[in-house]
mmCIF file of all heavy atoms in Angstrom:
data_model
loop_
_atom_site.group_PDB
_atom_site.id
_atom_site.type_symbol
_atom_site.label_atom_id
_atom_site.label_comp_id
_atom_site.label_asym_id
_atom_site.label_seq_id
_atom_site.Cartn_x
_atom_site.Cartn_y
_atom_site.Cartn_z
ATOM 1 N N PRO A 60 25.648 67.499 -19.903
ATOM 2 C CA PRO A 60 26.134 66.334 -19.118
ATOM 3 C C PRO A 60 27.380 66.685 -18.274
ATOM 4 O O PRO A 60 27.515 66.181 -17.196
ATOM 5 C CB PRO A 60 26.467 65.350 -20.261
ATOM 6 C CG PRO A 60 25.543 65.645 -21.371
ATOM 7 C CD PRO A 60 25.442 67.223 -21.281
ATOM 8 N N ALA A 61 28.235 67.521 -18.761
ATOM 9 C CA ALA A 61 29.434 67.863 -18.023
ATOM 10 C C ALA A 61 29.077 68.660 -16.725
ATOM 11 O O ALA A 61 29.669 68.494 -15.713
ATOM 12 C CB ALA A 61 30.341 68.735 -18.840
ATOM 13 N N THR A 62 28.047 69.385 -16.774
ATOM 14 C CA THR A 62 27.532 70.142 -15.608
ATOM 15 C C THR A 62 26.938 69.209 -14.627
ATOM 16 O O THR A 62 27.216 69.303 -13.373
ATOM 17 C CB THR A 62 26.559 71.241 -15.999
ATOM 18 O OG1 THR A 62 27.114 72.106 -16.948
ATOM 19 C CG2 THR A 62 26.006 71.966 -14.765
ATOM 20 N N LEU A 63 26.257 68.201 -15.054
ATOM 21 C CA LEU A 63 25.720 67.176 -14.109
ATOM 22 C C LEU A 63 26.837 66.403 -13.498
ATOM 23 O O LEU A 63 26.787 66.076 -12.308
ATOM 24 C CB LEU A 63 24.771 66.172 -14.934
ATOM 25 C CG LEU A 63 23.512 66.771 -15.412
ATOM 26 C CD1 LEU A 63 22.839 65.743 -16.388
ATOM 27 C CD2 LEU A 63 22.578 67.077 -14.271
ATOM 28 N N ALA A 64 27.906 66.095 -14.241
ATOM 29 C CA ALA A 64 29.089 65.418 -13.690
ATOM 30 C C ALA A 64 29.783 66.318 -12.637
ATOM 31 O O ALA A 64 30.151 65.798 -11.650
ATOM 32 C CB ALA A 64 30.118 65.070 -14.875
ATOM 33 N N ARG A 65 29.887 67.549 -12.931
ATOM 34 C CA ARG A 65 30.569 68.465 -11.977
ATOM 35 C C ARG A 65 29.752 68.579 -10.663
ATOM 36 O O ARG A 65 30.285 68.613 -9.559
ATOM 37 C CB ARG A 65 30.748 69.827 -12.633
ATOM 38 C CG ARG A 65 31.523 70.815 -11.673
ATOM 39 C CD ARG A 65 31.664 72.236 -12.287
ATOM 40 N NE ARG A 65 30.549 72.694 -12.957
ATOM 41 C CZ ARG A 65 29.529 73.321 -12.378
ATOM 42 N NH1 ARG A 65 29.565 73.431 -10.999
ATOM 43 N NH2 ARG A 65 28.560 73.837 -12.993
ATOM 44 N N LEU A 66 28.442 68.679 -10.849
ATOM 45 C CA LEU A 66 27.560 68.772 -9.641
ATOM 46 C C LEU A 66 27.615 67.549 -8.734
ATOM 47 O O LEU A 66 27.724 67.666 -7.567
ATOM 48 C CB LEU A 66 26.168 69.093 -10.046
ATOM 49 C CG LEU A 66 25.761 70.387 -10.545
ATOM 50 C CD1 LEU A 66 24.326 70.401 -10.973
ATOM 51 C CD2 LEU A 66 25.901 71.393 -9.380
ATOM 52 N N TRP A 67 27.706 66.351 -9.377
ATOM 53 C CA TRP A 67 27.910 65.197 -8.612
ATOM 54 C C TRP A 67 29.227 65.120 -7.910
ATOM 55 O O TRP A 67 29.334 64.763 -6.728
ATOM 56 C CB TRP A 67 27.666 63.863 -9.463
ATOM 57 C CG TRP A 67 27.671 62.722 -8.661
ATOM 58 C CD1 TRP A 67 26.646 62.149 -7.955
ATOM 59 C CD2 TRP A 67 28.821 61.883 -8.395
ATOM 60 N NE1 TRP A 67 27.082 61.066 -7.274
ATOM 61 C CE2 TRP A 67 28.360 60.856 -7.544
ATOM 62 C CE3 TRP A 67 30.191 61.868 -8.771
ATOM 63 C CZ2 TRP A 67 29.202 59.879 -7.009
ATOM 64 C CZ3 TRP A 67 31.036 60.941 -8.307
ATOM 65 C CH2 TRP A 67 30.524 59.911 -7.496
ATOM 66 N N SER A 68 30.316 65.390 -8.624
ATOM 67 C CA SER A 68 31.634 65.243 -8.158
ATOM 68 C C SER A 68 31.971 66.251 -7.018
ATOM 69 O O SER A 68 32.717 65.980 -6.079
ATOM 70 C CB SER A 68 32.695 65.191 -9.195
ATOM 71 O OG SER A 68 32.729 66.534 -9.809
ATOM 72 N N ALA A 69 31.329 67.449 -7.150
ATOM 73 C CA ALA A 69 31.550 68.479 -6.132
ATOM 74 C C ALA A 69 30.592 68.465 -4.991
ATOM 75 O O ALA A 69 30.714 69.229 -4.009
ATOM 76 C CB ALA A 69 31.468 69.847 -6.834
ATOM 77 N N GLY A 70 29.691 67.541 -5.109
ATOM 78 C CA GLY A 70 28.703 67.470 -4.008
ATOM 79 C C GLY A 70 27.670 68.528 -3.988
ATOM 80 O O GLY A 70 27.188 68.956 -2.957
ATOM 81 N N GLY A 71 27.475 69.152 -5.143
ATOM 82 C CA GLY A 71 26.529 70.217 -5.307
ATOM 83 C C GLY A 71 25.054 69.753 -5.262
ATOM 84 O O GLY A 71 24.766 68.589 -4.872
#
Side-chain angles (χ1 to χ4, degrees):
T62 304
L63 291 170
R65 183 179 47 79
L66 285 172
W67 184 84
S68 66

